[in-house]
Amino acid sequence: MGVILNEAKFHTMLEEIDLDINKLNDQKIIAFFEFLGLKYREDIPKNFLDWENILVVVPNREMLNEIKKYKDSISRISFVTNTNAKQIHIYDINDCKSATQNKTSLQIRQFLKTNFGGVEKISKSPDWIKLK
């Protein structure tokens, strides 16, 4: 019986440590987003710490290569490149998975043009010039 009591106490201690680790990781996520300049952007959801996993969408591979080195030191974040995005965005990864579930790669490519950071390029936009 003594071993079971010690085991229960041990499990309680582990749970407390896990909570502390999660709190520290949340602080890492906040610091990382501040580093990326996302702290004061109005389009960034304020409840991102409530998400199970956070998807960071970046507009190009160069930027991805610069920040992916932080992936191993921060839990609960994943990165993806969306060449249709103009800036960094964050999303709940579960929303992304459910939105792209059962879609082909071509359908996903089309979907990313206007979703998850994508901005549709139209001829009226000054950033998009049609070549004749």
Side-chain angles (χ1 to χ4, degrees):
M1 200 57 139
V3 173
I4 293 175
L5 289 176
N6 289 338
E7 187 175 348
K9 184 176 180 181
F10 176 66
H11 284 289
T12 301
M13 288 173 51
L14 289 178
E15 288 174 1
E16 289 174 5
I17 292 169
D18 283 341
L19 286 174
D20 290 341
I21 290 171
N22 289 337
K23 288 178 187 175
L24 290 172
N25 190 66
D26 287 351
Q27 290 176 348
K28 285 183 181 182
I29 292 171
I30 291 169
F32 181 62
F33 287 172
E34 285 181 23
F35 166 72
L36 294 176
L38 304 178
K39 181 177 182 179
Y40 299 109
R41 284 200 7 216
E42 292 182 22
D43 62 324
I44 300 298
K46 303 303 180 209
N47 66 334
F48 59 84
L49 290 177
D50 296 337
W51 301 340
E52 185 179 341
N53 288 302
I54 301 168
L55 180 66
V56 179
V57 177
V58 295
N60 56 55
R61 289 196 185 276
E62 293 82 19
M63 190 177 296
L64 177 65
N65 290 333
E66 287 180 31
I67 64 174
K68 73 178 180 183
K69 60 187 171 191
Y70 302 108
K71 169 74 175 98
D72 294 333
S73 63
I74 304 172
S75 300
R76 297 181 33 219
I77 60 170
S78 298
F79 299 101
V80 69
T81 302
N82 183 353
T83 57
N84 299 295
K86 292 186 182 259
Q87 59 186 346
I88 296 174
H89 297 276
I90 63 169
Y91 299 97
D92 184 345
I93 201 164
N94 292 331
D95 290 345
C96 182
K97 284 181 182 178
S98 65
T100 58
Q101 186 176 358
N102 300 324
K103 288 189 180 353
T104 66
S105 59
L106 179 61
Q107 289 172 323
I108 291 172
R109 219 174 294 133
Q110 290 297 321
F111 177 76
L112 290 176
K113 287 182 179 181
T114 55
N115 293 285
F116 292 100
V119 178
E120 188 174 16
K121 294 178 182 175
I122 55 175
S123 60
K124 293 179 184 177
S125 172
D127 295 334
W128 176 253
I129 300 172
K130 282 188 172 180
L131 297 175
K132 294 182 182 181

